[in-house]
């Protein structure tokens, strides 16, 4: 889509910048990467009142143009590089109206770059609630820019913001906020000539950051470096002088335009809540109870919709078998593709509920408290408080969680977080756990309110967090690093969750999960169906001839005979041969050749396990007796012992294997992308596989 104007959103973290982005673009948005780096780039389109279209780019949140992470460095690179394809025509600086003093530092820096600017004064509802009064007109006159008061969470003022974008000019009208040239006059003058700019603040920023900026030529870098030496430039002293000057400007501005009580009421209320929720004992108890409630809800609330989805796919398979002529294509469609998809689609309700809870925890501000609370514990095992975000995010998916480790400044802390995040129970493991738990754990309550299946699922999630912490501690002793980590996090005030945002988030994340998993599952289901439906040589033909002899047809009922033939064909198929090759290595873990096939196919993605089991047992079963994958697995018998295949020991052993094994090609790829070194994903895959095999072996041998 072509846009008439490109607009960048800039702001501190927790100013509601993403909410403004969502309010402007709605569902018309996409997520990618900035060129050459693995930093999320969110772009979307917005129709303006004058009939034109604006491309909105949501830049990473930052406290200033002096970056502390790779994400933050993107902001200055995009704004300063005249040839950057993402350089905006207009910048909307989103300010938290209830915390202007802190937010204005970034605004003054952006304004001095002389790009046209609009100020979106967000959270006006919160400012009014805290009795903070802002003279908007005077505020705008002193800044020299349009100022639009909004409450993005309530969609108040969004139309005015769009109108302001419509009427924004192409020239920057804001006044200089400080005398930049006074900080380093000779140096600024020299750099302006080197890069051919008339902007003194751009020249000063280049003096600070030229070593890390890709858009400067080698010659320009050398000349700037020489100018620094000639003028005895000290970056930290210059930054300190600039910051003091900016806060003097900000203090004068706020004195003239803002009236507020000595202590904000909302902060006091938040502090009172924090005394309980971040208490060194009760805080952890409450966090654990919240997790227990989440996992209980995942089981109990999803039961009815899961049954309906299950019945829908059973009906669909029946329609295909009854409506289409018998043959390979009908079997492929019904027993391959539909059976494979049903194994994942049925878990959509559970995944949606999980994402809804995560969205609520983030939206209310509680997730930030968890991060703060866990910092002390994290440091003892080689991590820091910011590691909690990827670890908690790992409950959804390891891939974006590993990408989110870019906010961890310390290299060693970041590497350890990357290495242990895949141990956290992701949503892809959820279908496997719920299927296996439903097979072997009774669905009844204990202590009146706790469902045993819910408790088992909670146990798997707790185990994943404990194992991640233990492995992190071991890696702390192994991996060497010289940097010293630090923890900076702002605790936002508590707010009610935005239910529309929760639904939006739940829908988008569930859709992404289903679409991405669906592609792999359909591909794997087709390959698997072929492998399970055909065998080497004349094996299938010989089986048919064998069971058509009178000693079988006279003494065995046709339905039973068909089942025996199907079972023997599966065992002699290409998939069966492959499973049998692996069986000697996995038999001590309690696995048979059918489970081994699922282990192979689910290397690409764990959730393929359920689809694989559905396909295998559909091929193996009677086409006239279509059941859910859980029913098929529950009725599966060991041909040697006649006992159920999925005993308590086998199911728990299998859950332990999936709890510790990597089994995710996407995670391997993203670890390489984030570390730029194949040794890290290789080491991660190796240690997780060894851990999975060992713990699964111990579990089965103890429980059988």
């Amino acid at each position: 889509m072509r846009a008439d104007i490109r607009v960048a959103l800039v702001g501190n973290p927790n100013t509601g910048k993403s909410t403004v982005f969502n309010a402007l673009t709605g569902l018309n948005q996409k997520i990618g990467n900035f060129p050459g780096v693995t930093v999320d780039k969110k772009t979307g389109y917005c129709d303006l009142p004058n009939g034109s279209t604006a491309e909105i780019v949501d830049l990473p949140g930052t406290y200033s143009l002096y970056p502390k992470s790779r994400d933050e460095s993107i902001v200055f690179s995009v704004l300063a590089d005249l040839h950057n394809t993402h350089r905006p025509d207009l910048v909307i600086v989103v300010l938290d109206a209830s915390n202007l003093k802190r937010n204005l530092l970034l605004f003054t820096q952006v304004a001095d770059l002389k790009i046209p600017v609009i100020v979106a004064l967000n959270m006006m509802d919160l400012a009014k609630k805290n009795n903070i009064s802002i003279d908007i007109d005077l505020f705008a006159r002193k800044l020299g820019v349009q100022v639009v008061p909004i409450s993005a969470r309530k969609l108040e003022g969004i139309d005015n913001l769009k109108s302001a974008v419509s009427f924004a000019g192409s020239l920057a009208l804001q006044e200089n906020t400080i005398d930049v040239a006074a900080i380093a006059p000779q140096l600024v003058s020299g750099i302006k000539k080197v890069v051919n700019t008339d902007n003194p603040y751009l020249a000063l920023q280049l003096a600070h950051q030229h070593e890390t900026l890709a858009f400067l030529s080698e010659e320009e870098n050398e000349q700037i470096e020489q100018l620094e030496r000639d003028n005895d430039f000290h970056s930290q002293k210059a930054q300190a002088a600039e910051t003091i000057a900016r806060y003097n400007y900000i203090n004068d501005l706020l004195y003239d335009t803002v009236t507020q009580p000595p202590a904000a009421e909302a902060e006091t209320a938040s502090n009172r809540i924090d005394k309980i929720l971040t208490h060194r004992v009760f805080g952890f108890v409450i966090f654990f109870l919240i997790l227990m409630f989440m996992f209980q809800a995942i089981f109990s609330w999803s039961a009815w919709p899961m049954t309906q989805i299950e019945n829908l796919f059973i009906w669909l398979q029946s329609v295909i078998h009854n409506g289409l002529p018998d043959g390979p294509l009908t079997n492929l469609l019904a027993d391959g593709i539909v059976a494979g998809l049903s194994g994942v689609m049925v878990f959509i309700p559970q995944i949606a509920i999980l994402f809804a809870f995560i969205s609520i925890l983030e939206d209310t501000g509680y997730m930030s408290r968890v991060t703060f609370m866990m910092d002390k514990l994290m440091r003892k095992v080689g991590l820091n408080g910011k590691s909690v975000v990827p670890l908690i995010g790992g409950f959804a998916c390891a891939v974006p969680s590993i990408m989110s480790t870019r906010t961890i400044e310390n290299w060693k802390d970041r590497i350890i977080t990357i290495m242990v995040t895949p141990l956290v129970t992701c949503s892809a493991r959820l279908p496997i756990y719920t299927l296996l738990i439903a097979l072997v754990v009774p669905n009844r309550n204990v202590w009146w309110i706790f469902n045993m299946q819910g408790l088992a699922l909670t146990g798997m999630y707790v185990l994943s967090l404990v194992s991640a912490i233990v492995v992190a501690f071991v890696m702390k002793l192994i991996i060497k690093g010289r940097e010293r980590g630090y923890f900076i996090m702002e605790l936002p005030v508590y707010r009610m969750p935005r239910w529309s945002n929760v639904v939006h988030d739940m829908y988008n994340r569930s859709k992404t999960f289903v679409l991405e998993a669906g592609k792999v599952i359909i591909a794997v289901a087709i390959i698997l169906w072929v492998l399970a439906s055909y065998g080497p040589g004349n094996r299938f033909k010989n089986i048919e001839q064998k069971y058509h002899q009178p000693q079988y047809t006279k003494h065995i009922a046709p339905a039973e005979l068909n089942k025996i033939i199907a079972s023997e064909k599966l065992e002699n198929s290409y998939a069966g041969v492959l499973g049998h090759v692996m069986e000697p290595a996995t038999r001590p873990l309690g696995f048979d050749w059918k489970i081994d096939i699922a282990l192979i196919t689910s290397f690409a993605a764990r959730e393929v396990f359920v689809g694989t089991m559905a396909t295998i047992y559909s091929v193996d079963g009677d086409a006239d007796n279509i059941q859910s994958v859980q029913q098929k697995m529950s009725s599966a018998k060991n041909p040697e012992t006649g006992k159920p295949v999925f005993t308590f020991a086998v199911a728990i052993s299998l859950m332990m294997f999936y709890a510790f094994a990597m089994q995710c090609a996407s995670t391997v790829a993203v670890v390489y992308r984030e570390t730029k070194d194949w040794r890290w994903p290789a080491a991660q895959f190796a240690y997780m596989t060894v851990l999975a095999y060992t713990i699964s072996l111990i579990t089965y041998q103890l429980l059988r």
Side-chain angles (χ1 to χ4, degrees):
M1 182 182 290
R2 292 180 63 85
D4 302 296
I5 184 172
R6 180 179 293 123
V7 181
L9 294 182
V10 174
N12 288 184
N14 296 317
T15 55
K17 189 165 58 65
S18 295
T19 309
V20 174
F21 177 76
N22 290 333
L24 289 173
T25 61
L27 294 175
N28 192 12
Q29 53 183 256
K30 62 179 181 179
I31 300 176
N33 275 338
F34 284 100
V37 291
T38 52
V39 175
D40 284 347
K41 182 189 71 174
K42 290 171 68 178
T43 58
Y45 293 89
C46 169
D47 293 328
L48 301 176
N50 62 358
S52 60
T53 302
E55 180 188 4
I56 311 293
V57 182
D58 187 14
L59 294 178
T62 181
Y63 290 102
S64 83
L65 291 182
Y66 295 109
K68 295 288 187 295
S69 67
R70 193 183 302 180
D71 288 37
E72 293 183 358
S73 69
I74 289 294
V75 179
F76 180 71
S77 296
V78 169
L79 298 182
D81 181 7
L82 297 176
H83 304 292
N84 192 303
T85 54
H86 298 94
R87 191 172 193 270
D89 306 303
L90 175 70
V91 175
I92 297 178
V93 180
V94 182
L95 304 182
D96 176 358
S98 65
N99 195 355
L100 278 175
K101 188 169 184 176
R102 185 205 65 205
N103 283 223
L104 279 166
L105 175 66
L106 177 63
F107 165 80
T108 59
Q109 292 177 322
V110 174
D112 285 344
L113 287 178
K114 298 305 177 188
I115 302 171
V117 172
I118 291 175
V119 168
L121 213 50
N122 194 22
M123 303 186 192
M124 286 299 294
D125 53 335
L126 189 61
K128 289 176 183 173
K129 186 179 175 184
N130 293 343
N131 298 319
I132 298 172
S133 174
I134 304 170
D135 186 335
I136 303 292
D137 292 336
L138 182 59
F139 193 69
R141 282 202 303 275
K142 284 187 170 289
L143 294 181
V145 301
Q146 294 187 76
V147 176
V148 184
I150 63 171
S151 295
R153 291 169 67 91
K154 298 179 178 179
L155 298 179
E156 293 175 358
I158 297 301
D159 289 340
N160 293 336
L161 185 58
K162 291 180 181 178
S163 296
V165 174
S166 296
F167 298 113
S170 58
L171 296 176
L173 301 177
Q174 60 267 27
E175 300 290 336
N176 290 333
T177 58
I178 62 171
D179 183 6
V180 173
I183 296 173
Q186 299 301 322
L187 176 68
V188 167
S189 176
I191 295 177
K192 283 169 65 177
K193 294 176 184 171
V194 170
V195 297
N196 191 26
T197 179
D198 58 357
N199 187 316
Y201 190 56
L202 175 61
L204 183 63
Q205 278 286 348
L206 294 180
H208 288 295
Q209 303 191 46
H210 68 94
E211 296 95 338
T212 59
L213 296 173
F215 62 83
L216 291 177
S217 67
E218 189 175 339
E219 183 182 358
E220 288 172 332
N221 259 317
E222 289 175 358
Q223 290 180 6
I224 293 173
E225 192 67 37
Q226 184 60 48
L227 282 168
E228 286 186 21
R229 286 193 292 270
D230 294 344
N231 293 280
D232 195 22
F233 178 69
H234 295 279
S235 179
Q236 288 186 343
K237 288 182 180 177
Q239 282 189 41
E242 179 193 333
T243 304
I244 291 171
R246 292 195 181 281
Y247 272 111
N248 286 335
Y249 169 82
I250 292 168
N251 288 335
D252 290 343
L253 174 70
L254 295 180
Y255 181 82
D256 293 336
T257 59
V258 178
T259 307
Q260 65 183 84
E265 186 179 333
E267 286 184 358
T268 305
S270 280
N271 289 341
R272 283 201 298 269
I273 297 172
D274 276 341
K275 285 180 181 176
I276 300 171
L277 293 187
T278 61
H279 189 273
R280 60 182 178 177
V281 177
F282 300 130
F284 288 99
V285 173
I286 292 169
F287 179 49
F288 183 72
L289 290 176
I290 289 173
L291 286 182
M292 281 195 69
F293 176 76
M294 278 174 53
F295 301 132
Q296 293 286 323
I298 286 171
F299 258 107
S300 57
W301 296 357
S302 63
W304 184 84
M306 287 180 71
T307 303
Q308 304 310 311
I309 295 173
E310 229 173 39
N311 292 337
L312 175 66
F313 274 93
I314 290 174
W315 172 81
L316 190 59
Q317 278 184 281
S318 175
V319 167
I320 294 170
H321 272 299
N322 295 329
L324 297 178
D326 283 340
L329 285 179
T330 301
N331 293 336
L332 169 63
L333 185 61
D335 301 332
I337 296 173
V338 174
L341 278 179
S342 70
V344 170
M345 298 293 279
V346 75
F347 294 101
I348 288 177
Q350 291 185 334
I351 290 165
I353 292 171
L354 173 67
F355 285 135
F357 274 113
I358 290 176
S359 181
I360 290 170
L361 294 181
E362 289 174 345
D363 219 31
T364 53
Y366 181 69
M367 195 68 92
S368 298
R369 269 71 184 184
V370 173
T371 303
F372 164 74
M373 212 166 45
M374 298 293 284
D375 184 58
K376 193 173 181 181
L377 176 63
M378 293 289 102
R379 288 198 175 280
K380 290 181 180 175
V381 298
L383 304 170
N384 72 35
K386 288 184 178 177
S387 303
V388 173
V389 175
L391 291 179
I392 297 293
F395 284 141
C397 180
V399 172
S401 301
I402 287 172
M403 293 169 70
S404 72
T405 59
R406 298 169 201 153
T407 58
I408 301 173
E409 295 81 4
N410 182 277
W411 174 84
K412 181 178 176 181
D413 292 355
R414 182 167 179 246
I415 284 292
I416 294 176
T417 306
I418 288 173
M419 295 296 279
V420 303
T421 295
L423 287 170
V424 177
T425 296
C426 63
S427 57
R429 288 181 173 106
L430 185 60
I432 302 170
Y433 290 166
T434 51
L435 176 64
L436 294 173
I437 288 172
L439 281 176
V440 298
V441 179
N443 183 18
R444 66 166 186 263
N445 285 5
V446 291
W447 303 315
W448 298 284
I449 57 172
F450 295 112
N451 180 277
M452 288 186 68
Q453 292 183 342
L455 286 175
L457 184 64
T458 305
M460 292 306 297
Y461 275 80
V462 172
L463 172 69
S464 71
L465 280 178
V466 171
S467 61
I469 290 171
V470 172
V471 173
F473 179 74
V474 174
M475 289 190 174
K476 174 188 174 185
L477 304 178
I478 297 173
I479 299 174
K480 303 298 179 187
R482 294 180 180 178
E483 299 174 47
R484 186 176 177 81
Y486 56 91
F487 178 73
I488 302 174
M489 172 151 283
E490 182 186 358
L491 298 183
V493 295
Y494 288 104
R495 300 187 184 100
M496 284 296 292
R498 295 157 294 172
W499 297 112
S500 60
N501 194 56
V502 171
V503 172
H504 185 263
D505 215 30
M506 185 173 66
Y507 168 75
N508 274 336
R509 293 188 189 186
S510 300
K511 185 180 77 172
T512 303
F513 173 81
V514 171
L515 290 180
E516 290 189 359
K519 293 174 191 170
V520 179
I521 287 164
I522 289 178
V524 171
I526 293 172
I527 295 169
L528 191 61
W529 180 86
V530 171
L531 291 175
S533 300
Y534 298 93
N538 293 321
R539 291 190 184 190
F540 278 27
K541 187 177 177 182
N542 294 338
I543 292 170
E544 290 280 357
Q545 290 174 349
K546 172 185 169 185
Y547 285 103
H548 277 89
Q549 293 178 14
Q551 66 261 38
Y552 294 105
T553 55
K554 287 184 179 177
H555 299 94
I556 304 176
E560 183 65 21
L561 192 59
N562 286 337
K563 193 171 182 180
I564 293 171
I565 293 172
S567 180
E568 195 160 326
K569 278 185 175 178
L570 179 62
E571 191 167 355
N572 284 277
S573 65
Y574 290 109
V577 172
L578 196 59
H580 280 296
V581 170
M582 283 184 62
E583 196 173 16
T586 61
R587 191 176 296 138
L589 280 60
F591 304 163
D592 65 6
W593 57 273
K594 293 180 183 174
I595 297 175
D596 291 341
I597 295 171
L599 294 184
I600 295 169
T601 56
S602 61
F603 168 74
R606 296 180 183 94
E607 57 270 36
V608 175
F609 169 83
V610 180
T612 301
M613 299 310 287
T615 303
I616 287 175
Y617 282 98
S618 289
V619 174
D620 189 22
D622 183 353
D624 296 330
N625 182 21
I626 299 170
Q627 300 172 307
S628 69
V629 60
Q630 184 184 327
Q631 290 170 320
K632 290 167 187 170
M633 292 172 68
S634 179
S635 59
K637 302 289 184 186
N638 185 321
E640 294 178 4
T641 64
K643 295 180 179 178
V645 171
F646 291 94
T647 62
F648 182 77
V650 170
I652 301 299
S653 171
L654 197 49
M655 283 199 288
M656 288 298 132
F657 187 88
Y658 275 100
F660 292 97
M662 171 61 90
Q663 299 292 104
C664 182
S666 301
T667 304
V668 173
V670 82
V671 170
Y672 166 71
R673 196 173 70 170
E674 293 299 313
T675 59
K676 300 296 181 190
D677 189 339
W678 274 113
R679 286 177 295 180
W680 290 113
Q684 191 176 41
F685 181 80
Y687 98 76
M688 289 183 69
T689 303
V690 170
L691 205 58
Y693 189 92
T694 306
I695 293 178
S696 184
L697 175 67
I698 294 170
T699 302
Y700 179 71
Q701 295 302 324
L702 288 176
L703 294 179
R704 69 174 183 166

